[in-house]
Amino acid sequence: MTARSGPLRVGVLASGRGSNLQALLDAAREKDYPARVVVLLSDRERAPALERATAAGVEAVFLDPKAYGDRAAYDAALLDRLEASRVELVCLAGFMRILSPAFVGGWVGRLINIHPSLLPAFPGLHAQRQALDHGAKVTGATVHFVDAGVDTGPIIAQASVPVHDDDTEDSLAARILVEEHRLYPEVVRLFAEERLSLVGRRVRVRR
Ligand code: GRF
């Protein structure tokens, strides 16, 4: 139980397909789910994520990086939109821009990301390809708090998937996505129910 009067207000930042956004939108339709997506912000005009949000009746905003002088100005615009929508938790879901330390610093403990590997293995781009190239037998998905580094923040939850001998990048990505779509709404629920706490860089989950 939480002291909040309504569902947790979630803002999602996405650059592309938006399947994780969709998982969050779908979860919010479940009875008693304690969070809802109130705004989707994208840095790509043609991102399918924009359409998914619109189709779900959620405000969808394209913020063109070219319209802003530098990263600080762009991130200030993101912040304005998030504040205007009274967002309480920001979920990165395939957002392909690095956020400035100032932005990240303003959202410590309220900014999370999903990554398609078992961090700290295979951070950054092409995590599935990295896993295949390395010869990993197990990989997976991680949801973590965002800090100033790339995929380095405190880990909230992980799910593993096997790597098969005949996997391609696509087949492995598809197997990982199944877990991503389960994990992200689960973590947002835990956050909304105020069951997460940080001890050093370890995240405790109250069961
Ligand atoms: C996912 O694999 C996510 O882990 C990574 O980017 C991808 C986004 O996919 N950060 P989608 O746009 O949510 O479908």
Side-chain angles (χ1 to χ4, degrees):
M1 282 294 118
T2 77
R4 197 181 313 106
S5 57
L8 179 81
R9 299 177 68 82
V10 176
V12 178
L13 273 52
S15 302
R17 181 177 53 189
S19 70
N20 279 290
L21 164 71
Q22 191 67 56
L24 295 173
L25 293 169
D26 292 347
R29 285 210 304 268
E30 287 163 23
K31 192 171 169 290
D32 297 336
Y33 190 76
R36 70 187 162 104
V37 179
V38 293
V39 67
L40 178 276
L41 304 177
S42 180
D43 61 331
R44 303 236 174 116
E45 192 168 15
R46 296 183 197 291
L50 287 162
E51 288 161 32
R52 291 182 191 263
T54 303
V58 169
E59 184 185 17
V61 182
F62 162 56
L63 285 175
D64 186 354
K66 292 200 284 292
Y68 300 88
D70 56 16
R71 189 183 303 282
Y74 188 82
D75 288 3
L78 286 177
L79 184 59
D80 275 355
R81 288 291 184 158
L82 293 168
E83 285 179 351
S85 296
R86 292 180 288 118
V87 164
E88 299 166 290
L89 171 69
V90 176
C91 293
L92 306 182
F95 190 62
M96 300 309 286
R97 288 176 62 87
I98 306 275
L99 294 162
S100 58
F103 181 96
V104 172
W107 287 89
V108 172
R110 300 180 299 147
L111 173 60
I112 64 178
N113 180 45
I114 187 155
H115 182 78
S117 77
L118 292 176
L119 291 170
F122 315 131
L125 294 174
H126 309 300
Q128 302 89 343
R129 190 188 308 164
Q130 291 186 56
L132 290 172
D133 289 349
H134 196 84
K137 300 294 186 196
V138 175
T139 184
T142 301
V143 180
H144 63 93
F145 285 114
V146 175
D147 66 8
V150 175
D151 302 325
T152 52
I155 291 168
I156 303 169
Q158 295 185 301
S160 61
V161 307
V163 180
H164 297 164
D165 290 348
D166 60 353
D167 263 333
T168 62
E169 216 175 317
D170 284 349
S171 66
L172 181 56
R175 193 174 311 118
I176 294 171
L177 268 182
V178 173
E179 294 303 316
E180 291 188 42
H181 298 161
R182 185 181 60 75
L183 206 58
Y184 219 2
E186 189 180 304
V187 167
V188 170
R189 171 190 285 281
L190 291 172
F191 185 97
E193 292 175 348
E194 298 175 0
R195 288 159 65 189
L196 301 178
S197 59
L198 252 184
V199 182
R201 59 163 291 132
R202 296 177 74 175
V203 178
R204 295 235 171 104
V205 181
R206 196 160 43 77
R207 298 288 169 191

